[in-house]
């Protein structure tokens, strides 16, 4: 099979499309024939060497999101071959979801949405789980106020929709051209990037844009701040509770999020698709910025 890997760190030019043996599922695992796999900023961070060393095989696979069809199962797995699924390929590994096939724990997958195609389905696992788990950490109640930075991005957009569904009042901070988008997702208020947010004015911040201490200033005394990248969350001040979401594979929660896609509560967004062999082009486009929706590789 083909797989996108890196054997050294750097820019998009270090991506390699290699031929490798098709992996076999072990106990409690499934093998998925990949139909679509989103490209996320974490893939670029892996490629640049920010998050993980090379594996013992001297390489790193890329791709956290996958949509496809189960084609083989390991012992003790009750998923039927032929099932359309989405899943999260969590953590560093020599082979991941930017490939023709990927092996995942059965606990990391859920049945695919029925109302969107596989390309759109592949944008759900990483970003929707990150948004949901970040909101869990914030532990907000209906009527609380939340500022979401980077609200037009994939994590931010899902967070806007999930927070509004929970009755939270959402202020969306995004690019100056993104007001129509974030309001369509349910934001109550829009603030353009660089615009004014009253200090200490919201109960919590979900800092998807990684503004750090700047975002912390918007939180009231005793409020909460959740970041999305380890090592970037600011120190607590004014009794503000701080945390960083570390996304976890969770098939049961993913199934709940898929149901929300089918119920039109969550909106999937795709910017462009690329063949697997053009993964470097997708990384180059991601680095250019301004992408609204995910870039997706289609084997």
């Amino acid at each position: 099979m083909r797989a996108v890997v890196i054997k050294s760190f750097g820019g998009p030019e270090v991506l390699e499309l290699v031929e490798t043996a098709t992996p076999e599922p072990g106990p409690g695992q499934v093998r998925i024939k990949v139909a679509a796999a989103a490209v996320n900023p974490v893939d670029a961070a892996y490629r640049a060497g920010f998050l993980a060393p090379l594996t013992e095989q001297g390489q790193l696979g890329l791709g956290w999101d996958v949509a496809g069809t189960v084609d083989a199962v390991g012992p003790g797995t009750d998923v039927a071959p032929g099932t359309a699924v989405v899943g999260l390929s969590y953590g560093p590994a020599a082979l991941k979801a930017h490939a023709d096939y990927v092996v995942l724990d059965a606990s990391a997958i859920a049945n695919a949405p029925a109302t969107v195609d596989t390309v759109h389905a592949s944008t759900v696992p990483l970003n929707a789980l990150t948004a949901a788990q970040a909101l869990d950490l914030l532990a907000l109640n209906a009527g609380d106020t939340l500022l979401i930075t980077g609200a037009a991005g994939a994590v931010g957009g899902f967070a806007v929709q999930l927070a509004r569904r929970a009755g939270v009042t959402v202020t969306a901070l995004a690019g100056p051209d993104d007001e129509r988008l974030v309001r369509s997702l349910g934001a109550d208020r829009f603030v353009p990037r660089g615009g004014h947010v009253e200090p200490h004015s919201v109960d919590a911040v979900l800092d998807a844009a990684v503004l750090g201490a700047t975002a912390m200033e918007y939180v009231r005394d005793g409020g909460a701040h959740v970041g999305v990248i380890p090592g970037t969350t600011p120190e607590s001040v004014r009794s503000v509770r701080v945390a960083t979401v570390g996304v976890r594979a969770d098939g049961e929660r993913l199934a709940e999020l898929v149901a929300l896609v089918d119920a039109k509560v969550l909106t999937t967004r795709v910017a462009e698709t690329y063949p697997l062999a053009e993964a470097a082009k997708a990384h180059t486009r991601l680095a250019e910025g301004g992408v609204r929706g995910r870039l997706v590789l289609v084997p």
Side-chain angles (χ1 to χ4, degrees):
M1 73 165 192
R2 302 169 303 159
V4 176
V5 304
I6 56 170
K7 297 179 180 178
S8 62
F9 298 119
E13 71 280 356
V14 304
L15 296 177
E16 298 184 36
L17 185 68
V18 300
E19 290 286 342
T20 188
T22 302
E24 295 296 331
Q29 294 184 320
V30 301
R31 185 174 68 204
I32 300 168
K33 181 174 175 54
V34 178
V39 179
N40 289 282
V42 66
D43 294 308
Y46 266 36
R47 188 203 71 225
F50 293 146
L51 292 181
L54 299 179
T55 65
E56 292 182 0
Q57 293 91 335
Q59 67 184 41
L60 270 177
L62 299 178
W64 288 58
D65 279 323
V66 62
T69 304
V70 173
D71 88 315
V73 300
T77 307
D78 60 4
V79 181
T83 303
V85 297
V86 291
L88 182 68
S89 178
Y90 176 81
L95 297 172
K96 286 173 64 67
H98 291 169
D100 290 317
Y101 295 87
V102 65
V103 168
L104 299 182
D105 290 341
S107 61
I109 68 170
N111 286 350
T115 57
V116 298
D117 61 25
T118 53
V119 170
H120 284 80
S122 75
T123 69
V124 174
L126 176 62
N127 295 290
L129 281 170
T130 300
Q133 292 170 6
L135 290 170
D136 290 346
L137 290 173
L138 290 171
L140 298 171
N141 297 310
D144 287 346
T145 55
L146 171 66
L147 173 70
I148 299 174
T149 73
V155 171
F158 282 136
V160 170
Q161 293 183 304
L162 290 170
R164 287 297 300 124
R165 181 173 181 268
V168 173
T169 300
V170 174
T171 296
L173 193 154
D177 297 328
D178 290 323
E179 180 172 6
R180 186 172 183 178
L181 168 62
V182 296
R183 287 196 183 277
S184 75
L185 298 174
D188 299 280
R189 183 184 173 215
F190 170 74
V191 178
R193 188 185 306 117
H196 179 70
V197 179
E198 196 69 29
H200 311 173
S201 61
V202 295
D203 294 311
V205 165
L206 197 172
D207 190 16
V210 198
L211 301 184
T214 298
M216 178 73 87
E217 280 302 302
Y218 305 142
V219 184
R220 65 166 174 81
D221 294 359
H225 176 291
V226 166
V228 297
I229 299 179
T232 63
T233 302
E235 295 293 324
S236 175
V237 294
R238 299 179 287 103
S239 300
V240 172
R241 179 170 53 85
V242 299
T244 302
V245 61
V247 68
R248 306 180 308 281
D250 184 339
E252 291 186 5
R253 190 66 176 281
L254 182 55
E256 295 173 2
L257 296 165
V258 165
L260 293 179
V261 171
D262 283 336
K264 308 300 184 186
V265 173
L266 293 181
T267 303
T268 58
R269 294 179 285 150
V270 172
E272 298 177 60
T273 61
Y274 297 82
L276 190 64
E278 295 182 2
K281 289 185 179 180
H283 278 242
T284 298
R285 177 65 188 93
L286 184 64
E288 290 170 353
V291 178
R292 294 296 175 258
R294 275 287 164 254
L295 308 174
V296 178
L297 299 182
V298 180

